[in-house]
């Protein structure tokens, strides 16, 4: 039988015994028994009478162990487009085509934008786990058995290898002191032998996508978008029927800068009684995908019998930076400076903006685009262009039983109106022209200051001090390495 055949099923006895055990580990047991076990193999603990001096060398995870963890955050198959095409009244649903990707991921995300990238850090260096899009992702899935329970060791390794991109040849490193590390993380976090997963969210594409969706609401429900950092009365403010402050509870007659909205309010495109301050948006919900993916890692780590520790990462202001003179060996993102004449702006708009890794992971903002008009056009191109997810019928029809149903969906789905597109461009250009960066209220790439560390346990420490029931699955982890 051909292992690349999606219908191929690998004989259970051909797999690593640890992998077989993991696949039968009950989910409910993983939830109940998940604990933080932070002491990695080779770590000593300074704790007075409860101290432990390790005599072991660090013991990195193997390629198969890392591959399973990597895949737990990756693609899982075609996504189902089960949203409505009509309102209950029978009128067309005007929100445009919300979904962003053809493939589903192991954690949900707003509009299936899949904006979260994970960086993997181990003794070999720093790796980007790239997000596969469209046909590229489906081609990888087609080369593998459909169910993870049928994957061989080689399947796991091949799937992981398709997304690993080497960024740096050394482990992330910063001085082991505040403000880089906090508290006792200085002793146990990011030590040799550990594998860390650091989430980073691209807030540029989905920021644009959500603006398009909000501005595609029905007539009378499209909001006036304002800049709540600009408290002054602009030209023609008197033409707005109501004061913004009265609508959002900030006191009487406290106007804010409307963005491209005065004329649009006057011609009825937006409703000045519905006000959306930019500051209320923050990450526009793009960031919640992070926590589902990290929970996957923590539950899977329990099923595998390894230590898993979710905790504060390197301080977010530093983790994107790389400066050997300062002993900063972080991700090395390009940073764009804000406008020099806007020092008054609140954080983060007054700070440098991590916009991407050149040629590897680039935000949809300058310098990677010539203008914010171009950025909006790229979003539309990725959705509706010649290779867009809503124009490739062969790929779009994958989750349907009958291709004609996919054709029906594509025929009736609505796209964003010219007015919604132009207003979105107004907002994006306003942000970049005012603050010299995009977005302003959150960084182009955002990290929550939290990562998940995985490692083999310092079992001798747990044997000395803790109830064996609480680490029995970790004690049995040796089955993963019986053939080593």
């Amino acid at each position: 039988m051909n292992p690349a055949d999606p219908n191929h099923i690998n004989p259970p006895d051909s797999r690593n015994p640890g992998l077989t055990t993991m696949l039968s580990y009950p989910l409910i047991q993983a939830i109940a028994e998940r604990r933080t076990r932070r002491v990695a193999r080779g770590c000593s603990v300074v704790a007075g009478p409860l101290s432990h001096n390790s005599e072991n060398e660090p013991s990195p995870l193997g390629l198969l162990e890392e591959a399973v963890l990597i895949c737990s955050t990756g693609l899982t198959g075609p996504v189902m487009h089960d949203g409505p095409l009509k309102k209950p009244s029978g009128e067309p649903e005007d929100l445009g085509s919300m979904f962003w990707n053809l493939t589903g991921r192991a954690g949900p995300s707003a509009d299936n934008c899949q904006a979260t990238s994970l960086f993997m850090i181990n003794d070999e260096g720093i790796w980007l786990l790239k997000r596969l899009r469209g046909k590229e992702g489906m081609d990888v899935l087609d080369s593998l058995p459909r169910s993870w329970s049928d994957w061989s060791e080689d399947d796991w390794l091949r799937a992981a290898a398709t997304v690993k991109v080497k960024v740096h040849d050394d482990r992330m490193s910063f001085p082991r002191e505040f403000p880089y590390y906090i508290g006792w993380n200085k002793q146990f976090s990011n030590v040799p032998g550990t594998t860390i997963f650091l989430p980073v969210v691209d807030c540029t594409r989905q920021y644009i996508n959500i603006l398009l969706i909000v501005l595609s609401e029905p007539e009378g429900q499209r909001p006036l978008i304002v800049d709540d950092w600009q408290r002054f009365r602009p030209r023609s403010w008197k033409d707005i029927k109501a004061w913004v402050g009265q609508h959002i509870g900030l006191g009487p007659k406290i106007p804010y800068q409307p963005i491209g909205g005065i004329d649009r309010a006057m011609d009825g495109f937006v409703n000045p009684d519905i006000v959306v301050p930019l500051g209320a948006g923050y990450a526009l919900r793009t960031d919640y995908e992070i926590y589902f993916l990290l929970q996957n890692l923590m539950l899977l780590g329990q099923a595998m019998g390894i230590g898993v520790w979710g905790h504060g990462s390197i301080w977010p202001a530093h983790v994107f930076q790389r400066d050997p003179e300062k002993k900063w060996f972080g991700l090395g993102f390009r940073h764009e400076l804000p406008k020099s004449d806007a020092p008054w702006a609140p954080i983060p708009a007054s700070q440098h903006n991590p916009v991407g890794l050149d040629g590897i992971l680039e935000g949809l903002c300058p310098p990677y685009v010539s203008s914010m008009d171009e950025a909006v056009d790229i979003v539309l191109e990725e959705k509706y262009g010649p290779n867009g997810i809503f124009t490739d019928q062969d790929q779009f029809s994958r989750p349907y039983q009958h291709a004609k149903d996919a054709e029906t969906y594509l025929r009736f789905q609505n796209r964003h109106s010219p007015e919604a597109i132009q207003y979105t461009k107004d907002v994006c250009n306003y942000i970049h022209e005012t603050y010299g960066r995009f977005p302003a209220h959150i960084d182009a790439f955002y990290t929550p200051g939290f990562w998940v560390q995985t490692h083999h346990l310092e079992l001798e420490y747990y044997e000395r001090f803790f109830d064996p029931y609480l680490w029995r699955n970790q004690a049995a982890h040796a089955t993963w390495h019986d053939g080593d």
Side-chain angles (χ1 to χ4, degrees):
M1 298 179 69
N2 179 7
D5 180 354
N7 296 314
H8 169 67
I9 297 177
N10 297 287
D13 58 1
S14 71
R15 285 197 293 241
N16 179 296
L19 188 61
T20 300
T21 300
M22 179 202 73
L23 289 168
S24 62
Y25 197 88
L27 172 61
I28 198 68
Q29 187 173 342
I31 293 172
E33 299 187 358
R34 185 215 59 78
R35 297 289 189 280
T36 294
R37 301 173 180 89
R38 60 178 57 84
V39 183
R41 188 78 168 166
C43 278
S44 297
V45 181
V46 181
L50 300 180
S51 295
H52 169 78
N53 184 37
S54 175
E55 297 181 356
N56 299 308
E57 293 295 319
S59 176
L61 299 185
L63 283 175
L64 177 61
E65 293 165 301
E66 286 188 343
V68 173
L69 293 166
I70 290 168
C71 292
S72 76
T73 69
L75 299 182
T76 53
V79 69
M80 295 182 291
H81 295 80
D82 51 1
L85 293 170
K86 300 282 187 180
K87 298 187 181 75
S89 66
E91 295 294 314
E93 180 57 75
D94 298 323
L95 295 181
S97 308
M98 298 171 65
F99 291 160
W100 191 269
N101 283 285
L102 291 170
T103 48
R105 195 179 186 185
S109 63
D111 306 317
N112 200 28
C113 65
Q114 298 178 19
T116 300
S117 292
L118 288 167
F119 286 87
M120 186 178 74
I121 303 159
N122 60 19
D123 290 347
E124 303 300 318
I126 302 175
W127 311 76
L128 170 68
L129 306 181
K130 67 180 179 180
R131 295 164 293 164
L132 302 179
R133 305 286 193 182
K135 187 175 185 301
E136 180 186 17
M138 292 306 304
D139 286 347
V140 170
L141 291 171
D142 286 345
S143 72
L144 297 161
R146 193 164 188 178
S147 171
W148 282 2
S149 62
D150 296 329
W151 285 19
S152 67
E153 291 179 46
D154 183 62
D155 292 329
W156 291 100
L157 293 169
R158 285 192 299 112
T162 61
V163 300
K164 289 174 63 177
V165 177
K166 192 73 166 292
V167 179
H168 299 292
D169 291 328
D170 47 8
R171 175 182 282 278
M172 184 175 287
S173 176
F174 286 84
R176 289 193 173 269
E177 59 189 37
F178 187 81
Y180 313 105
Y181 291 91
I182 189 170
W184 61 13
N185 295 0
K186 302 179 186 74
Q187 295 187 49
F188 301 131
S189 181
N190 190 29
V191 296
T194 62
T195 296
I196 286 178
F197 294 88
L198 168 66
V200 171
V201 181
D202 177 356
C203 294
T204 60
R205 280 175 168 77
Q206 180 63 359
Y207 201 102
I208 295 170
N209 191 44
I210 289 180
L211 286 174
L212 287 166
I213 292 169
V214 168
L215 295 170
S216 297
E217 289 284 353
E219 184 176 351
Q221 299 174 37
R222 293 185 286 266
L224 175 68
I225 298 176
V226 301
D227 185 354
D228 43 323
W229 286 347
Q230 296 269 6
R231 293 191 176 192
F232 62 88
R233 186 176 301 185
R235 177 182 64 83
S236 299
W237 180 260
K238 63 185 180 185
D239 294 320
I240 300 297
K241 295 179 180 179
W243 295 103
V244 177
Q246 293 174 325
H247 287 282
I248 58 176
L250 294 177
K253 297 188 177 181
I254 303 178
Y256 293 86
Q257 172 72 55
I259 302 167
I262 294 174
D263 293 336
R264 300 185 193 290
M266 293 171 65
D267 68 17
F269 178 71
V270 299
N271 184 348
D273 292 327
I274 302 176
V275 176
V276 173
L278 285 174
Y282 190 54
L284 297 180
R285 303 178 183 171
T286 307
D287 55 334
Y288 73 68
E289 177 187 24
I290 293 172
Y291 306 105
F292 290 102
L293 298 178
L294 297 186
Q295 178 75 337
N296 286 354
L297 288 167
M298 289 189 279
L299 294 177
L300 184 60
Q302 171 59 27
M304 293 173 66
I306 58 176
V308 185
W309 177 25
H311 62 286
S313 69
I314 303 297
W315 209 257
H318 302 296
V319 75
F320 287 109
Q321 303 194 53
R322 195 171 184 87
D323 186 340
E325 291 186 3
K326 297 179 179 178
K327 298 183 180 179
W328 292 355
F329 296 92
L331 296 178
F333 269 54
R334 175 190 287 270
H335 285 73
E336 291 293 298
L337 296 176
K339 288 185 68 171
S340 60
D341 61 351
W344 53 267
I347 292 175
S350 59
Q351 308 299 306
H352 50 75
N353 187 22
V355 295
L357 283 166
D358 294 353
I360 297 176
L361 185 65
E362 300 177 347
L364 204 53
C365 59
Y368 301 117
V369 294
S370 60
S371 69
M372 292 311 301
D373 277 7
E374 182 186 359
V376 176
D377 289 338
I378 289 173
V379 169
L380 297 169
E381 178 78 8
E382 290 179 355
K383 295 176 78 172
Y384 308 122
N387 298 313
I389 60 174
F390 291 101
T391 50
D392 187 342
Q393 185 170 328
D394 288 341
Q395 293 298 321
F396 191 86
S397 64
R398 296 294 293 272
Y400 288 90
Q401 292 190 52
H402 308 291
K404 63 180 179 60
D405 294 328
E407 181 183 351
T408 299
Y409 189 101
L410 291 175
R411 188 168 69 252
F412 283 97
Q413 55 92 20
N414 288 285
R415 301 186 178 184
H416 307 293
S417 70
E419 293 83 2
I421 293 169
Q422 186 57 54
Y423 195 1
T424 298
K425 289 181 176 180
D426 288 350
V427 173
C428 295
N429 279 305
Y430 169 85
I431 292 171
H432 193 265
E433 290 167 4
T434 303
Y435 300 103
R437 51 176 280 153
F438 179 85
H441 296 71
I442 191 169
D443 287 336
F445 282 89
Y446 161 79
T447 184
F450 188 91
W451 59 17
V452 165
Q453 175 172 303
T454 59
H455 50 253
H456 293 130
L457 284 195
E458 175 74 6
L459 286 174
E460 292 86 346
Y461 170 72
Y462 291 91
E463 287 171 355
R464 285 184 63 189
F465 295 114
F466 294 99
D467 181 351
Y469 181 87
L470 296 175
W471 47 272
R472 68 190 191 284
N473 202 44
Q474 285 66 32
H477 180 76
T479 57
W480 284 79
H481 306 282
D482 283 347
D484 293 354

